[in-house]
């Protein structure tokens, strides 16, 4: 028997209605709708509230700043390093110029993966997940809100970092005369592809964090999938390699950031699509784990 | 109101809660008592949907917790005070929770004030003492100004001032008409705060009664009587079907007869009494009686195997 009327309008808990102040205050129908401000939905919007909460969570822990800063520094720093070194050699640059300026994503994916795992595993590790589920009982809403906020931040961040790495790298390569420019065929596709690559790797990491719940365990599995699988398949017979290797997540970055993909890899578009499938599978596994296993 | 209806929860082959039913009514503090491992925390976790019942159901204000759109406006829970991300400040921790239910950010400052953490609002909670964690947990529970409150062992780690504060807070919340369920394994704590008790042992309901009812039905209630004619009196009492024990100080401890009856019996026989008093069992003793058969980790009186 709640003493309050059905709490319909959002933000209807007056600041001064603290229990210690006395009788529970009649909740007023305040027209200042917070949930609608961002999402343009007038009604109570559980998903909108969850997204707002996840946004606040993401930006109120230091690991977010550390991992995103690391991803930026690595992506842009490695572009500068690789392209500057190559330019010093003059003449033959031994690779596609766009790919050279985006080599940083191979390391940046580690930082993005760590952040993706932490988005969920840090809550299981601390026990905060129980507070989260008490506040938002629908696990699907929680997972979707986390995934949406994370994907948004990583997409924007990766795009800016990849664009900056490309522009800086090509500028540094200009003494060789072999530099690419944004207007060249495939360059926009490569930058968007690299952005999508980092975001999807991050979402796979987020899914693994929800499935495994332990930061170290989820990271171990993630890099097992990214690195160890590739090493293992080197010992396969060649015909089997040709059928398996293109589908390994670790081979996809190369096909995404090159104009002409190397052998044993899918096209850039197909790579992004397959990676997307992996991300969906990882998120479904996370959802399954969050629903079936007690918090 | 909370209605627990035939709740059963198994973890593998371990039965944590077995066919447990009780109701928690508004306007009073309900103590939820049981020895360690009795299933108190499991039950509370099930109330707010963290554990899925193996069987049975729980309704809060008439419906399952999971169907409440903005649950923090109806139910506030402090289950594990340390279950917060240590890297966030107290303010930001509460802000994250507030946003999830569309609660105004101004409430964060208000509840921090209520629990006395305003001065450390900006500090990362990793640096908090257990008592401060408890206060932060209470603040989180109060954020949505809910009509139903759950506290799992809230006095753990609090200093005496903090304990007094939380007792007063729980009583006030109940007096405002809220439903307050407080778990503890300490009977003495409940004696000071609770109006009603739900006692469980090994996941089963042992008692669901008011504190005074629980005390009056305890087998430890007895009558203490002192008389210069103690031997004559004890014969009379035994004839009246009471059981009599000689206390260490020479007084008689009478079970199975109340004080007026003992007095009338003595008067009729012309026995002089120097003392006649009802000895109420302490809540602690009543609790021990109730849960004697339902303790998981009991310390048996030490016995020595005979050597052959």
């Amino acid at each position: 028997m709640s003493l309050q009327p059905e709490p319909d309008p959002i933000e209807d808990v007056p600041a001064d209605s603290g229990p210690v102040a006395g009788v529970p205050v009649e909740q007023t129908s305040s027209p200042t709708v917070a949930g609608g401000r961002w999402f343009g939905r007038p009604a109570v919007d559980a998903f909108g509230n969850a997204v707002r909460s996840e946004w606040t969570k993401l930006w109120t822990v230091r690991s977010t700043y550390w991992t995103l800063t690391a991803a930026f520094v690595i992506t842009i720093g490695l572009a500068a390093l690789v392209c500057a070194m190559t330019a010093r050699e003059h003449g033959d640059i031994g690779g596609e110029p766009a790919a050279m300026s985006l080599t940083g994503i191979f390391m940046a994916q580690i930082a993005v993966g760590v952040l993706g795992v932490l988005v969920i595993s840090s809550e299981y590790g601390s026990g905060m997940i129980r507070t989260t589920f008490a506040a938002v009982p629908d696990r699907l809403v929680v997972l979707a809100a986390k995934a949406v906020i994370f994907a948004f931040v990583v997409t924007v961040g990766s795009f800016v970092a990849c664009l900056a790495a490309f522009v800086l790298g090509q500028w540094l390569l200009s003494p060789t005369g072999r530099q690419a420019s944004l207007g060249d065929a495939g360059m926009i596709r490569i930058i968007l592809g690299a952005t999508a690559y980092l975001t999807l790797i991050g979402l796979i990491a987020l899914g693994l964090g929800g499935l495994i719940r332990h930061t170290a365990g989820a990271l171990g599995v993630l890099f097992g999938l990214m690195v160890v699988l590739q090493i293992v398949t080197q010992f396969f017979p060649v015909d089997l390699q040709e059928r398996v290797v293109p589908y390994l997540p670790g081979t996809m970055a190369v096909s995404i950031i090159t104009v002409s993909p190397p052998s044993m890899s899918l096209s850039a578009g197909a790579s992004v699509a397959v990676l997307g499938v992996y991300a969906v599978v990882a998120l479904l596994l996370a959802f399954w784990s969050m629903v079936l296993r007690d918090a | 109101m909370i209605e627990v209806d035939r709740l059963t929860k198994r973890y593998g082959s371990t039965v944590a809660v077995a066919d447990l039913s009780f109701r928690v009514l508004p306007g009073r503090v309900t103590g939820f008592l049981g020895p360690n491992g009795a299933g108190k925390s499991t039950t509370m976790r099930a109330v707010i949907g963290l554990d899925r019942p193996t069987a049975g159901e729980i309704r809060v204000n008439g419906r399952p917790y999971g169907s409440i759109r903005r649950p923090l406006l109806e139910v506030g829970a402090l289950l594990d005070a340390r279950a917060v991300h240590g890297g966030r400040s107290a303010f930001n921790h509460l802000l994250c929770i507030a946003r999830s239910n569309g609660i105004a950010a101004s409430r964060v400052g208000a509840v921090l004030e209520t629990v006395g953490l305003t001065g450390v609002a900006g500090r990362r909670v990793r640096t908090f003492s257990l008592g401060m964690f408890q206060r932060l947990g209470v603040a989180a529970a109060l954020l949505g100004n809910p009509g139903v409150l759950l506290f799992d062992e809230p006095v753990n780690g609090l200093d005496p001032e903090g304990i007094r504060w939380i007792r007063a807070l729980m009583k006030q919340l109940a007096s405002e008409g809220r439903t307050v369920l407080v778990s503890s394994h300490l009977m003495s704590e409940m004696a000071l705060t609770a109006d009603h008790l739900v006692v469980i042992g090994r996941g089963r309901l042992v008692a669901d009664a008011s504190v005074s009812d629980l005390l009056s039905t305890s087998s430890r209630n007895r009558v203490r009587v002192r008389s210069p004619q103690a031997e004559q009196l004890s014969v009379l009492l035994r004839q009246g079907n009471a059981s009599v024990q000689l206390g260490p100080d020479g007084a008689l401890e009478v079970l199975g007869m109340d004080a007026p009856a003992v007095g009338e019996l003595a008067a009729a026989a012309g026995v002089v009494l120097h003392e006649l008093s009802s000895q109420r069992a302490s809540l602690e003793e009543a609790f021990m009686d109730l849960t004697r058969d339902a303790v998981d980790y009991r310390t048996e009186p030490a016995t020595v195997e005979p050597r052959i």
Side-chain angles (χ1 to χ4, degrees), chain A residues 163 166-167 180-185 187-188 191:
Chain A
L163 186 64
F166 178 88
V167 170
S181 86
L182 274 177
D184 294 351
M187 291 306 119
I188 296 295
I191 291 169

Side-chain angles (χ1 to χ4, degrees), chain B residues 209-283:
Chain B
S210 72
V211 172
S212 49
D213 283 352
L214 206 59
L215 284 177
S216 61
T217 57
S218 171
S219 61
R220 301 282 181 106
N221 291 335
R222 54 201 179 269
V223 174
R224 185 183 152 85
V225 57
R226 193 190 281 279
S227 164
Q229 297 147 273
E231 268 177 47
Q232 186 190 348
L233 182 61
S234 49
V235 170
L236 287 168
L237 287 166
R238 289 204 175 96
Q239 281 167 357
N241 275 333
S243 78
V244 183
Q245 280 185 328
L246 189 63
D249 58 349
L252 299 176
E253 306 265 339
V254 183
L255 275 164
M257 192 180 285
D258 61 9
V262 173
E264 279 162 24
L265 190 78
V271 171
V272 174
L273 297 185
H274 289 170
E275 181 186 342
L276 176 65
S277 61
S278 294
Q279 303 286 309
R280 299 271 282 170
S282 73
L283 206 46

Side-chain angles (χ1 to χ4, degrees), chain B residues 102-229:
Chain B
I103 296 166
S106 54
R107 276 291 292 168
V108 173
V111 293
L112 280 168
E113 184 84 43
T114 302
V115 302
L117 289 179
T118 308
V120 291
R123 239 170 79 182
R124 296 210 284 165
V125 299
R126 183 175 295 142
T127 63
F128 279 17
S129 67
L130 182 53
M132 291 159 86
F133 272 112
Q134 294 284 22
R135 287 173 185 263
L136 183 63
V138 171
L142 296 177
L143 256 185
N145 196 19
V148 176
L149 288 137
L150 309 174
F151 297 103
D152 196 2
E153 307 271 357
V155 301
N156 274 1
L158 287 176
D159 56 16
E161 193 273 328
I163 291 174
R164 264 182 30 207
W165 167 74
I166 205 147
R167 282 178 193 151
L169 177 70
M170 289 187 297
K171 284 182 173 163
Q172 188 188 343
L173 291 169
S175 73
E176 290 165 3
R178 298 175 209 256
T179 302
V180 182
L181 181 65
V182 188
S183 83
S184 177
H185 59 276
L186 295 175
M187 199 62 170
S188 49
E189 181 55 39
M190 289 297 98
L192 291 166
T193 36
D195 309 302
H196 192 87
L197 290 174
V198 173
V199 184
I200 64 171
R202 288 206 179 145
R204 291 176 186 279
L205 189 69
V206 173
D208 181 355
S210 72
V211 172
S212 49
D213 283 352
L214 206 59
L215 284 177
S216 61
T217 57
S218 171
S219 61
R220 301 282 181 106
N221 291 335
R222 54 201 179 269
V223 174
R224 185 183 152 85
V225 57
R226 193 190 281 279
S227 164
Q229 297 147 273

